Amino acid sequence: MKADRLLSILLLLQTRGRVPASELAARLEVSTRTVYRDVEALSASGVPVYAERGRHGGIALLPGFRTDVTGLTGDEARALFILAAQGAHQALGLDEALGSALRKVMAALPAPHRPAAELTGRRILVDPDRWLGGPRPAADLDELQTAVFTDQRLRIRYRHGGETRLRTYTVDPYGLVAKAGTWYLVADRRGRPQLFRADRVASATVTDAPVRRRPGAELAEVWAQLRRQVEERPAPVRVTARIRRERLDLAVRILGSALTGPPRTADGEYGTPGEYRTDGEYRTDVADGAGDGWAILELGYPVLPAVRQLLQFGDSLEVLDPPEARRVLADAAAALGDLYAADRP
């Protein structure tokens, strides 16, 4: 819209001082001729803007003119620019809106705070994805957002993990939560809180009925309740394994969600003294004589076949207990051996 473009030009000039028309055109994705027309419109509306021709020319505001919105401290400004690095705005389709908002904030900042705020955007990057996580399925958040912001009930067709068929639910949404790069819909179904992964929602329809939330319940507390249920859910299959120390850091990164406690050696907890390094990884420099080159892992899995995850470590990892987990891995390894030993035409 032209009004948004005019405001963007005003704020860019206020922030940067003199700016070449070509740079304004590139930033706003319009032609240079359009920029000059917009400058004339700003001037006609009383904004003291002018253009200078020549090699060092450009478009500028008269000295001393600014739209003065003050009050932000330096730390508050940095916090806003770190928020811009979170990535959630992209999934919500708010990239352009965020860019426009940050230009307004930058223009409103007291001059001493601007360099630190601008530097924050270049020096802080937040990547929400876990290591070795692979590409995530795309989630369509449009209808979910609409229901959340209009307080309407939502009808979804949903596939639970481990199932192929779709189920249809009518839910009362509290909001959307992004956790480790995955979006979740937090909603009541039949008056009870439930989590729905957004990438498993095959279709969503906003109904005409108003939302029916439990009185006094808010997104933050419902999310906290559901999160506790997930994190405190007991793992029915407990596995004890040993792994060579040189592979331990990699195992901790890959098996992190399955670990039920810190790795240890035969004579105590692994990594003591100093269980963790400053970079968050388990230490591999335990005291001399503490162990025999192996570390012990305690793991939990929801079902027995899930222990096949451990095959990726080859002979660097051995399951010690329970015996049925060892049989699952032995059978899987034998099947792989047969597969690769077979002659191919």
Side-chain angles (χ1 to χ4, degrees), residues 301-315:
Y301 288 101
V303 293
L304 190 59
V307 302
R308 293 173 183 165
Q309 177 192 30
L310 304 176
L311 286 171
Q312 64 187 297
F313 296 100
D315 62 0

Side-chain angles (χ1 to χ4, degrees), residues 74-112:
D75 285 344
E76 289 170 342
R78 283 191 291 272
L80 288 173
F81 280 78
I82 291 175
L83 176 66
Q86 299 284 339
H89 52 278
Q90 182 176 4
L92 296 173
L94 297 175
D95 264 345
E96 291 186 10
L98 181 68
S100 176
L102 289 179
R103 285 194 294 270
K104 295 175 183 178
V105 170
M106 183 67 79
L109 285 177

Side-chain angles (χ1 to χ4, degrees), residues 110-282:
H113 298 331
R114 289 183 200 164
E118 189 175 37
L119 184 63
T120 298
R122 300 201 311 268
R123 294 292 186 267
I124 302 297
L125 175 65
V126 178
D127 185 343
D129 293 330
R130 296 180 60 183
W131 290 110
L132 307 175
R136 296 182 181 273
D140 187 354
L141 301 180
D142 289 346
E143 287 296 294
L144 304 185
Q145 282 189 84
T146 301
V148 164
F149 291 127
T150 60
D151 287 335
Q152 300 295 111
R153 303 192 91 189
L154 189 64
R155 186 175 296 111
I156 61 174
R157 296 176 68 236
Y158 186 76
R159 180 187 61 80
H160 290 278
E163 296 185 3
T164 56
R165 73 186 186 94
L166 296 174
R167 300 174 183 265
T168 301
Y169 300 124
T170 298
V171 299
D172 298 294
Y174 286 92
L176 293 166
V177 174
K179 180 172 176 58
T182 299
W183 283 93
Y184 295 89
L185 172 70
V186 178
D188 276 353
R189 184 171 77 88
R190 297 179 178 175
R192 302 187 65 179
Q194 190 166 338
L195 274 181
F196 300 92
R197 274 185 57 150
D199 55 23
R200 292 180 184 162
V201 176
S203 65
T205 305
V206 180
T207 71
D208 295 329
V211 73
R212 303 174 190 173
R213 301 189 186 107
R214 284 168 287 128
E218 295 292 341
L219 172 62
E221 63 189 68
V222 177
W223 166 253
Q225 175 188 352
L226 291 168
R227 179 176 174 174
R228 283 194 301 271
Q229 292 176 5
V230 172
E231 293 177 344
E232 297 172 3
R233 182 183 301 161
V237 180
R238 297 286 181 172
V239 174
T240 302
R242 67 173 187 164
I243 188 166
R244 298 188 189 277
R245 282 192 204 163
E246 60 267 23
R247 301 297 300 278
L248 181 58
D249 280 349
L250 177 64
V252 168
R253 286 196 291 269
I254 294 177
L255 304 175
S257 61
L259 289 171
T260 59
R264 55 185 173 81
T265 60
D267 52 358
E269 284 200 0
Y270 190 72
T272 53
E275 291 179 23
Y276 292 91
R277 295 201 304 252
T278 55
D279 59 6
E281 295 180 351
Y282 289 99

